[in-house]
Amino acid sequence: VDKTAVPYFTRTFAWDITKMADETYAEIADGSSYTFNYTVGVTHDAGTDSLWSVKGTISIANPNDWEDIEADVTDAVNNGGTCTLDDPTQATVTVFADSYVEVDYTCTFTDGDSGTNTVTATWDADAYHTPTGTDSGSASFAFTTPTTLVDESITVSDSYEGTLGTVSYSAPSPTYFY
């Protein structure tokens, strides 16, 4: 039994914008005007991570060259996630002699703790004349880089000046437009 484990997660950024005038009050003569200058400031957070999952493929091989076997497949992680086979009918698979079967799976999590994903295949050792009736394989995973970024940049526009520019999550926070 062999497996792959590829982690996926989403990082969503929240943004805020403020407009600050250089003056808040000016006394002027009747009929005169005064110009207030202002700065637009844009801030973003560090991002919120969510939608953690691990996806991969389980390979179950049958090295026997004389008979097919039927195996039950289970998948689990050591850090509180829930694993399911993408095709539930593959919880029991027939592996032909000298062949293999691939089963896709997905594990979901409430947080991004790294861990180990382990698959176990079991079969009737007596019926299939094998030394054991079980085999397992593991793959470690770590949630290090988001696979999807949401709201990673914004375009800032002003009712007087029009479009001021685009700000990315990697830009300093705050970023100012003068």
Side-chain angles (χ1 to χ4, degrees):
V1 176
D2 192 21
K3 76 176 325 187
T4 60
V6 180
Y8 298 88
F9 69 101
T10 297
R11 182 167 293 155
T12 304
F13 296 90
W15 296 85
D16 194 25
I17 188 167
T18 58
K19 188 183 273 190
M20 300 154 285
D22 60 348
E23 303 285 336
T24 57
Y25 175 79
E27 287 190 31
I28 58 172
D30 283 340
S32 299
S33 65
Y34 184 85
T35 299
F36 289 91
N37 297 305
Y38 62 91
T39 301
V40 174
V42 178
T43 59
H44 60 81
D45 66 1
T48 302
D49 295 337
S50 63
L51 302 174
W52 291 279
S53 66
V54 170
K55 298 175 186 258
T57 301
I58 301 163
S59 296
I60 304 162
N62 178 3
N64 292 333
D65 59 4
W66 68 90
E67 78 178 317
D68 304 339
I69 65 164
E70 189 173 278
D72 295 323
V73 181
T74 58
D75 192 27
V77 290
N78 67 342
N79 63 350
T82 302
C83 298
T84 58
L85 303 179
D86 292 357
D87 179 355
T89 65
Q90 290 185 307
T92 300
V93 293
T94 299
V95 186
F96 296 113
D98 200 29
S99 187
Y100 67 95
V101 171
E102 290 187 337
V103 178
D104 294 326
Y105 72 93
T106 302
C107 301
T108 56
F109 306 86
T110 57
D111 60 33
D113 288 340
S114 299
T116 302
N117 182 261
T118 302
V119 62
T120 303
T122 57
W123 60 91
D124 186 333
D126 293 333
Y128 296 116
H129 311 288
T130 58
T132 66
T134 186
D135 193 13
S136 62
S138 296
S140 297
F141 59 89
F143 295 99
T144 55
T145 304
T147 48
T148 304
L149 298 176
V150 176
D151 296 331
E152 70 271 23
S153 66
I154 61 167
T155 300
V156 180
S157 58
D158 178 67
S159 57
Y160 296 107
E161 295 295 324
T163 300
L164 301 177
T166 300
V167 182
S168 169
Y169 75 94
S170 59
S173 183
T175 294
Y176 294 106
F177 295 93
Y178 300 97

